[in-house]
């Protein structure tokens, strides 16, 4: 059978794994991609998004592919978009099978499967489930009792429990990178994105992992790693085929297994030897880990701090690291000359302006290389929703809007929470990370931060800070996409929109 994956706004590693798995089973795959110009995490402008709207083009492409199955990978941010596209496709071609998967449908399958345009929902890890569903469709076998799949027939919904998690990740074929690289060659310009694990060691209340851990409570080990041999094999092939100059590991916590990390960094240095970036958690950061990363070629790390209010961090976010641990982690990376990028989440239940002031002084003292100020986003079934409802911050109606993704907005700029925090004070955090503590204290005392705009400045700040560190300190902060890459992406798709290139 032929399966068309529909993607929105970015290279999707999950789709790449699904595609390679289906191809291994003898099926054909295709990609229909909406560049989501001016509707992404990095840049949102409703007026320009309306001008450069690829919606009709996407529907036409889906129909032109002549796929038997159209599969959508759905986040809360693109659920309403995906639902609209599916409805248009179903209206024009009633025989096509439409499957929704991804974290949003996995969180609220009962809501998604009730949509007329959606025939099946894949819940959770979906390589085996989607392949089994496609095989059943092809051979006209029963499709209503496949584990991980919710189905409907004649108005009756069939809910199937998830199967065990894939214990040995090495059985998975390499991700089908060419699916996206053929769509836009810029996806592989200089940078190769991959993962060495699935799952997370933590259950932070604001994260989708808090729900998936419950879903898979008795279905095997949640956090799993590819073997060192398997990851090196992938990177060797990628290095030869694509000639990339940098690796970005997007594991939730890249350093969660120190012994694995020691073996991996040794092999990586010998056989790959390219600069790389990764995500870390302060609990796992120590001198040994930082030394391993440095020797292997790590040039940048991202680390979530979220809040310095320790009781709030523990009781609301389900995080237990102390501020002293966070400070030591920043110090270790700075001493190793590894670009350290941190983020905070604001609008948390129980947070106050005093917490923001504390964060400003902390940043002045620790001076991380990059800072991101994010606003809380409530995601369906995340445990923080339960906490917010107990505290009368969210109502049942609010939760329904979250489940329907009607309150959807990029987490970086708006979130979907109500907050009394001073947004200009939050913007000041980006300034405070570049100032001595006494200067920060003076600016706070006289409330000079009110001269700043209330809009989120962290993208602009990141650009300036990374340029400064690159020129002055020779630190490579390209864990996060460069301005040049974004300009190239927008230029390519704006030309396509105008029909001047293919």
């Amino acid at each position: 059978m032929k399966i068309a994956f529909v993607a929105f706004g970015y290279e999707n590693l999950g789709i790449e794994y699904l595609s390679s798995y289906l191809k291994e089973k003898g099926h054909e795959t295709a990609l229909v991609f909406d560049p989501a110009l001016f509707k992404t995490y990095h840049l949102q402008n409703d007026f320009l998004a309306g001008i450069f709207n690829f919606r009709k083009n996407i529907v036409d492409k889906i129909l032109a592919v002549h796929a038997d199955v159209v599969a959508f990978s759905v986040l809360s941010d693109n659920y309403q978009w995906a639902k609209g596209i599916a409805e248009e496709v179903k209206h024009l071609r009633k025989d096509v099978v439409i499957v929704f998967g991804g974290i949003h449908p996995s969180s609220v399958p009962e809501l998604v499967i009730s949509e007329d345009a959606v025939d099946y929902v894949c819940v959770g890890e979906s390589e085996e489930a989607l392949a089994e569903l496609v095989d059943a469709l092809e051979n006209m076998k029963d499709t209503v009792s496949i584990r991980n799949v919710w189905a409907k027939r004649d108005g009756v919904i069939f809910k199937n429990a998830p199967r065990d998690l894939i214990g040995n990740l090495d059985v998975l074929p390499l991700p089908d990178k060419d699916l996206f690289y053929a769509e836009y060659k810029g996806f592989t310009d200089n940078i190769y994105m991959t993962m060495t694990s699935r799952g997370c060691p933590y259950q932070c209340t604001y994260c989708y992992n808090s729900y998936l851990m419950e879903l898979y409570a008795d279905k095997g080990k949640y956090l799993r790693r590819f073997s060192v041999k398997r990851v090196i094999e992938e990177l060797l092939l990628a290095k030869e085929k694509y000639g990339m100059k940098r690796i970005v590991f997007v594991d939730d916590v890249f350093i969660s297994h120190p012994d694995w990390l020691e073996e991996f960094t040794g092999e990586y240095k010998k056989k790959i030897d390219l600069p790389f970036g990764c995500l870390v958690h302060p609990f796992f950061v120590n001198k040994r880990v930082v030394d391993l990363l440095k020797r292997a070629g790590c040039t940048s790390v991202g680390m979530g701090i979220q809040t310095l209010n320790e009781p709030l961090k523990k009781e609301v976010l389900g995080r237990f690291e102390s501020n002293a641990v966070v400070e030591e982690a920043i110090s270790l990376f700075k001493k190793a000359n590894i670009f350290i990028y941190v983020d905070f989440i604001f609008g948390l239940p129980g947070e106050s302006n005093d917490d923001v002031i504390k964060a400003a002084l902390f940043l002045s003292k620790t001076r991380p290389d990059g800072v991101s100020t994010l606003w809380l986003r409530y995601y369906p079934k995340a445990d923080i929703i339960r906490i917010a409802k107990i505290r009368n911050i969210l109502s049942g109606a609010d939760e329904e809007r979250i489940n329907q993704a009607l309150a959807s907005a990029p987490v970086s700029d708006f979130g979907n929470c109500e907050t009394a925090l001073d947004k200009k004070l939050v913007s000041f955090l980006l300034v405070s990370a570049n100032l001595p503590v006494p200067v920060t204290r003076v600016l706070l005392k006289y409330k000079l931060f009110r001269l700043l705009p209330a809009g989120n400045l962290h993208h602009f700040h990141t650009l300036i800070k990374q340029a400064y560190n690159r020129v002055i300190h020779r630190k490579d902060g390209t864990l996060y996409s460069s301005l040049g890459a974004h300009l190239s992406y927008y230029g390519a798709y704006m030309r396509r929109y105008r029909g001047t290139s293919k």
Side-chain angles (χ1 to χ4, degrees):
M1 297 192 84
K2 187 171 187 179
I3 302 90
F5 289 102
V6 186
F8 183 87
Y10 59 95
E11 180 188 350
N12 188 313
L13 192 57
I15 287 178
E16 291 170 352
Y17 269 107
L18 290 169
S19 177
S20 63
Y21 195 87
L22 288 169
K23 285 183 174 179
E24 188 176 65
K25 300 298 180 181
H27 300 290
E28 182 183 355
T29 66
L31 177 69
V32 179
F33 182 74
D34 188 330
L37 298 185
F38 305 102
K39 292 291 287 184
T40 63
Y41 171 87
H42 294 284
L43 184 59
Q44 182 171 58
N45 183 293
D46 289 340
F47 174 74
L48 292 175
I51 295 175
F52 295 98
N53 188 334
F54 281 73
R55 187 186 189 95
K56 183 179 185 305
N57 178 264
I58 295 304
V59 173
D60 290 345
K61 281 188 174 181
I62 292 172
L63 297 174
V65 166
H66 299 294
D68 304 290
V69 176
V70 178
F72 291 79
S73 179
V74 185
L75 305 171
S76 294
D77 288 325
N78 64 20
Y79 174 62
Q80 289 296 325
W81 167 87
K83 188 171 73 167
I85 296 291
E87 289 169 349
E88 290 189 45
V89 171
K90 201 73 167 177
H91 175 73
L92 295 168
R93 189 183 156 195
K94 295 188 178 358
D95 65 312
V96 72
V97 174
I98 293 182
V99 182
F100 271 36
I103 185 57
H104 188 89
S106 294
S107 301
V108 285
E110 67 285 349
L111 182 154
V112 177
I113 194 63
S114 68
E115 296 292 339
D116 291 340
V118 179
D119 298 302
Y120 299 94
V121 172
C122 280
V123 175
E125 200 168 70
S126 294
E127 282 91 352
E128 295 173 340
L130 183 57
E132 186 176 343
L133 174 61
V134 171
D135 286 342
L137 290 168
E138 183 175 45
N139 297 302
M140 294 181 289
K141 293 184 178 180
D142 173 52
T143 61
V144 300
S145 58
I146 298 172
R147 288 176 299 169
N148 285 81
V149 174
W150 285 38
K152 61 188 175 189
R153 180 183 295 166
D154 300 325
V156 179
I157 294 175
F158 297 84
K159 309 174 183 180
N160 295 296
R163 65 193 70 205
D164 290 347
L165 289 162
I166 299 172
N168 177 14
L169 295 181
D170 285 5
V171 303
L172 295 172
L174 298 179
D176 183 11
K177 289 287 183 175
D178 288 330
L179 192 71
F180 279 85
Y181 293 174
E183 161 65 25
Y184 172 60
K185 69 180 183 65
F187 281 130
T188 187
D189 280 354
N190 300 321
I191 294 177
Y192 183 87
M193 177 187 70
T194 192
M195 296 182 76
T196 70
S197 65
R198 286 189 179 183
C200 183
Y202 297 107
Q203 201 169 356
C204 302
T205 62
Y206 53 88
C207 177
Y208 66 87
N209 282 303
S210 66
Y211 167 68
L212 289 183
M213 282 185 179
E214 292 182 8
L215 179 69
Y216 283 109
D218 59 348
K219 300 297 182 180
K221 188 177 180 181
Y222 185 67
L223 175 58
R224 297 144 290 153
R225 290 211 94 109
F226 290 96
S227 69
V228 169
K229 180 181 178 183
R230 163 61 166 69
V231 179
I232 295 298
E233 173 192 349
E234 176 187 346
L235 296 179
L236 282 172
L237 289 172
K239 187 176 180 181
E240 178 182 354
K241 187 173 184 179
Y242 304 117
M244 71 282 189
K245 298 178 181 177
R246 179 178 175 80
I247 311 294
V248 173
F249 297 107
V250 292
D251 306 64
D252 289 333
V253 183
F254 182 70
I255 60 173
S256 60
H257 293 77
D259 292 338
W260 182 96
L261 184 68
E262 183 167 11
E263 180 187 355
F264 174 75
T265 51
E267 289 296 297
Y268 183 92
K269 182 63 177 177
K270 286 189 295 184
K271 297 178 179 178
I272 308 301
D273 198 23
L274 291 172
F276 69 91
C278 62
L279 303 175
V280 302
H281 189 288
F283 254 150
F284 289 102
V285 178
N286 54 49
K287 190 174 187 306
R288 175 197 175 197
V289 165
V290 173
D291 287 345
L292 289 172
L293 292 174
K294 180 67 176 180
R295 285 200 297 268
C298 179
T299 57
S300 59
V301 297
M303 185 175 75
I305 295 176
Q306 319 317 356
T307 181
L308 294 171
N309 182 328
E310 290 184 348
L312 185 151
K313 181 184 292 188
K314 179 179 178 181
E315 297 165 13
V316 174
L317 302 186
R319 295 184 60 135
F320 301 95
E321 69 275 11
S322 68
N323 294 338
V325 167
V326 173
E327 183 174 348
E328 175 64 12
I330 294 172
S331 175
L332 287 170
F333 283 118
K334 287 179 66 68
K335 288 176 182 176
N337 203 38
I338 295 175
F339 189 101
I340 168 69
Y341 193 99
V342 302
D343 60 63
F344 287 81
I345 298 177
F346 296 102
L348 300 170
E351 192 172 35
S352 69
N353 281 348
D354 287 342
D355 295 321
V356 186
I357 291 171
K358 185 175 183 178
L361 293 169
F362 178 86
L363 291 173
S364 285
K365 178 183 177 182
T366 57
R367 300 287 189 91
D369 300 301
V371 182
S372 183
T373 53
L374 312 174
W375 289 94
L376 175 64
R377 175 68 188 278
Y378 291 111
Y379 288 102
K381 300 292 179 68
D383 195 45
I384 198 168
I385 291 179
R386 176 187 59 80
I387 296 169
K389 288 178 70 177
I390 290 173
R391 298 187 179 203
N392 294 318
I393 295 171
L394 291 178
S395 66
D398 292 328
E399 184 176 15
E400 180 59 24
R401 284 177 56 79
I402 292 166
N403 291 344
Q404 292 277 4
L406 296 175
S408 178
V411 63
S412 59
D413 293 328
F414 307 104
N416 58 3
C417 61
E418 295 293 330
T419 175
L421 290 179
D422 190 320
K423 293 184 178 181
K424 291 188 176 184
L425 180 56
V426 171
S427 292
F428 179 66
L429 286 191
L430 303 176
V431 177
S432 66
N434 305 288
L435 299 174
V437 173
V439 174
T440 297
R441 290 189 184 278
V442 170
L443 295 177
L444 288 170
K445 179 179 179 180
Y446 294 102
K447 298 185 178 181
L448 296 180
F449 57 83
R450 296 196 178 280
L451 298 174
L452 293 172
N456 200 314
L457 302 175
H458 85 262
H459 293 310
F460 175 76
H461 173 267
T462 298
L463 174 65
I464 299 300
K465 188 71 174 183
Q466 288 192 5
Y468 172 80
N469 278 280
R470 188 68 179 267
V471 173
I472 304 300
H473 299 297
R474 296 290 187 260
K475 285 187 178 182
D476 181 2
T478 52
L479 172 62
Y480 301 88
S481 300
S482 68
L483 175 63
H486 285 297
L487 290 175
S488 176
Y489 177 84
Y490 272 76
Y493 278 102
M494 289 170 79
R495 287 194 300 273
R496 290 194 195 188
Y497 182 82
R498 293 171 181 167
T500 57
S501 68
K502 293 183 179 180

